[in-house]
Amino acid sequence: MSHLTSTEIAGRIEDLYGAPLADLEAHAQDQPPGMLSALLGMHDDLALAERSIDLHRVHLARLIHPERQIGRHEVPHLLDGSRRLAEAVAVRDVQAKSVLAVLQSLAPVAAPAPSPPTVALPVPAPPLPARSTAPSR
């Protein structure tokens, strides 16, 4: 599954709001919770999941290094590291999918073409009372 990285998501948030992420984070702290703070939180969760993936990948690489013996003591560590890596990947995928869906729903929509200005037609004057040809009394 292809996914966007936290860096790409940050760029999309910046494009949507027209400001650098650091400025948006400072602005969001002074505001009541809303869409911006939700997007920033989702971005932080995605970045955390990516760091976790890197950490567990490095840990597993050390455990299975070709010059290292894998004994009974290392097997539980390998299994635990593999489980944690799988969890971090799942969190990353869910976060990336969710934040991308939200960003796509917030994408600027093309404004409808303006309708030509309507010219107000003058209101017709009320009809004059009909003149009678009969002599009045």
Side-chain angles (χ1 to χ4, degrees):
M1 170 185 173
S2 69
H3 65 278
L4 295 178
T5 65
S6 61
T7 304
E8 292 167 324
I9 293 294
R12 293 217 181 167
I13 294 170
E14 290 172 341
D15 291 345
L16 182 65
Y17 284 91
L21 202 62
D23 293 348
L24 294 172
E25 288 170 344
H27 174 73
Q29 290 182 5
D30 299 335
Q31 304 297 318
M35 186 55 67
L36 176 59
S37 61
L39 284 170
L40 293 172
M42 293 170 82
H43 170 263
D44 288 345
D45 292 342
L46 177 59
L48 178 64
E50 288 174 341
R51 288 190 301 272
S52 183
I53 289 169
D54 292 340
L55 177 92
H56 294 299
R57 188 180 298 149
V58 168
H59 178 67
L60 283 173
R62 269 186 276 144
L63 288 174
I64 61 171
H65 191 274
E67 296 174 8
R68 184 180 170 125
Q69 290 285 344
I70 298 177
R72 287 184 7 197
H73 178 70
E74 285 80 20
V75 171
H77 296 288
L78 282 169
L79 293 173
D80 183 57
S82 299
R83 179 188 57 80
R84 289 175 186 247
L85 177 60
E87 288 173 354
V89 168
V91 168
R92 188 248 352 246
D93 290 349
V94 167
Q95 286 295 333
K97 185 177 180 180
S98 297
V99 74
L100 182 59
V102 171
L103 284 170
Q104 286 175 339
S105 74
L106 296 175
V109 177
S115 58
T118 57
V119 178
L121 298 175
V123 178
L128 295 175
R131 289 197 169 176
S132 171
T133 57
S136 66
R137 293 191 186 210

